Amino acid sequence: MFKKFTSGCVALVQRLLPDAFIFAILLTILTFVLSLITTGQSVLQLVEHWGNGVWSLLPFTMQMALVLVLGNALASSKPVKNLLIRLAKIAKTPTQAIMLVSFVSAIACWLNWGFGLIVGALLAKELAKRIKGVDYRLLIASAYSGFVVWHAGISGSVPLTLASDAEEIAKVTQGALTTVIPVGETLFSWQNLVISWFIILTLPLINRAMHPDPDKVVTVDPKLLEMEEVMEDEPENMVKETPAQKLEHSRILSGFVVALAGIFLVRHFMENGLDLNLNIVNLIFLTLGILFHQTPIRYVKAINEAIVGAGGIILQFPFYAGIMGLMTGLNAQGVSLGTEITNFFLNISTQKSFPTFTFWAAGLINIFVPSGGGQWAVQGPIMMPAGMKLGVDPAITSMAIAWGDAWTNMIQPFWALPALGIAKLDAKDIMGYCVIVLLYVGILMSVFFYIWT
């Protein structure tokens, strides 16, 4: 029964889910048509709104691309890789391997989603080398399952955005919210910490229970277990003959940057407390990346390798910004598609049920907009004003958007691509297991948000 259910889910997802860029185009068309119908504006007016919006999120696009690139570059460093090898030695049995990779990947994703995606896949591959009889598909699915908590962690784009720029917040929320929301009210609220760590601690048990019987286990081809270095490290005794080579391999230059950034970060936290935003998070991972790679040229190579994965963000974010322009473009009466949808949610929601509805809506939209930043650009103008009119704490509404976005990533293969690339698997190999995680987290968070309000 379980196998039929998971196989059916995988087949359905493979049939219905095109590339994420296609989603962005389809959502643009849908938003354009809905705006045309509900606001009574002309085609040319809507074209103007879209064109004015397309490049409105360029700073945010760069921040989000750096979250992925800097996290990936850090994960490829020798200290991180050596740590993964030592961690892999802890597991002795297949089920222990599943639990270990589930827990480590969840922790890493909570710290930084780009970092966690790569760390989980690398640890899974190391475990597959060492543990006989472990199902490789479930191992990689378990590594990816930790991604379900990323938006509740310290690289969550929605809560960090709300803590970063009051002017940007006012723009996205159509003026409903004009002040920043500190991370102490979102990421580090006791409610979010409790549910985040409950999932982190129980996820290994859920994944462990899914391990197939020995006769149903699918193991990995030994050729796939060959270690693939992100870069070829030169021997320590390599002769650096030219002045340029000496500069490229200078630990002094790297040390200067690390010291500079380190002093700034220490002063920042001393003066502002635990004030985390996208810029501070990115600076932390930039600093650690340079420190762990030791020389400037090694870090350059790591960044060059990591930047390939940012293509989807760079391509799709202008379309999400254009969608935001269509959502917020006002007609002569001051009505936009965003305000119309806001009124709809106001009519069907109560103060108690609104966060749960927001969570569900965010999960649905994430199928079409597989990006936390894009999710915020599309849903922020709708849910934040609606929630505030109902008297819902904007911190709760924002976390419902954040959790909904992370939730359905379990059936959206876009963010699984880095891990699948390392593992040399297809989305169909892991999606059946991810559906079970989707159901577990969905039920848990639906109840949680109803109680939190």
Side-chain angles (χ1 to χ4, degrees), residues 294-313:
Q294 298 183 352
T295 67
I297 195 63
R298 288 180 183 173
Y299 194 61
V300 167
K301 291 178 181 178
I303 291 293
N304 288 340
E305 292 286 342
I307 205 167
V308 176
I313 292 175

Side-chain angles (χ1 to χ4, degrees), residues 229-248:
E229 297 295 334
V230 176
M231 70 194 75
E232 291 294 333
D233 290 325
E234 75 283 354
E236 292 296 326
N237 60 354
M238 176 182 175
V239 177
K240 287 82 175 180
E241 297 180 347
T242 68
Q245 288 178 323
K246 291 179 180 179
L247 288 173
E248 289 174 345

Side-chain angles (χ1 to χ4, degrees), residues 380-393:
I382 301 169
M383 294 304 191
M384 296 300 285
M388 295 183 73
K389 286 183 179 180
L390 285 172
V392 178
D393 186 338

Side-chain angles (χ1 to χ4, degrees), residues 44-334:
L44 289 180
Q45 285 176 308
L46 293 178
V47 168
E48 188 75 12
H49 292 319
W50 179 83
N52 289 335
V54 163
W55 306 118
S56 64
L57 294 177
L58 283 180
F60 184 54
T61 302
M62 184 62 175
Q63 287 175 319
M64 293 305 299
L66 283 173
V67 169
L68 178 62
V69 172
L70 298 178
N72 285 2
L74 176 60
S76 70
S77 66
K78 271 189 174 181
V80 174
K81 287 183 177 180
N82 291 337
L83 175 61
L84 294 178
I85 291 173
R86 289 195 293 270
L87 285 173
K89 295 178 180 179
I90 296 174
K92 306 300 181 183
T93 66
T95 53
Q96 287 178 4
I98 296 299
M99 294 181 69
L100 178 63
V101 75
S102 300
F103 180 72
V104 171
S105 69
I107 294 291
C109 285
W110 192 86
L111 293 172
N112 177 277
W113 55 275
F115 178 65
L117 283 175
I118 305 305
V119 163
L122 292 175
L123 177 59
K125 200 167 182 182
E126 186 64 28
L127 285 165
K129 289 175 58 181
R130 295 173 177 276
I131 308 297
K132 293 182 178 180
V134 64
D135 191 279
Y136 192 55
R137 303 165 305 169
L138 179 57
L139 199 59
I140 299 301
S142 299
Y144 181 59
S145 67
F147 198 55
V148 79
V149 301
W150 83 268
H151 228 325
I154 63 175
S155 67
S157 55
V158 171
L160 289 182
T161 298
L162 285 168
S164 300
D165 188 340
E167 185 177 340
E168 188 71 19
I169 293 168
K171 182 198 302 184
V172 174
T173 64
Q174 304 181 71
L177 183 65
T178 57
T179 59
V180 298
I181 301 178
V183 291
E185 298 179 21
T186 54
L187 297 179
F188 296 111
S189 65
W190 70 265
Q191 294 94 333
N192 185 64
L193 289 175
V194 167
I195 194 63
S196 298
W197 286 92
F198 181 82
I199 290 176
I200 289 172
L201 293 173
T202 57
L203 196 58
L205 300 175
I206 297 295
N207 290 334
R208 178 186 185 277
M210 289 191 285
H211 197 275
D213 296 330
D215 60 326
K216 304 291 178 62
V217 166
V218 175
T219 55
V220 61
D221 184 338
K223 293 182 180 179
L224 295 178
L225 300 179
E226 297 175 359
M227 293 300 294
E228 297 177 358
E229 297 295 334
V230 176
M231 70 194 75
E232 291 294 333
D233 290 325
E234 75 283 354
E236 292 296 326
N237 60 354
M238 176 182 175
V239 177
K240 287 82 175 180
E241 297 180 347
T242 68
Q245 288 178 323
K246 291 179 180 179
L247 288 173
E248 289 174 345
H249 293 85
S250 171
R251 286 179 168 83
I252 296 176
L253 294 181
S254 291
F256 173 78
V257 175
V258 170
L260 190 68
I263 293 171
F264 174 84
L265 289 170
V266 169
R267 287 178 57 84
H268 171 82
F269 289 121
M270 288 178 63
E271 294 175 2
N272 302 287
L274 192 59
D275 175 31
L276 285 171
N277 53 54
L278 284 172
N279 290 333
I280 293 299
V281 168
N282 278 334
L283 182 58
I284 290 172
F285 281 90
L286 172 67
T287 306
L288 290 176
I290 294 174
L291 175 65
F292 287 175
H293 281 285
Q294 298 183 352
T295 67
I297 195 63
R298 288 180 183 173
Y299 194 61
V300 167
K301 291 178 181 178
I303 291 293
N304 288 340
E305 292 286 342
I307 205 167
V308 176
I313 292 175
I314 295 171
L315 174 61
Q316 294 169 45
F317 265 45
F319 286 86
Y320 300 151
I323 290 169
M324 189 179 79
L326 290 171
M327 281 278 194
T328 59
L330 301 174
N331 63 13
Q333 291 74 40

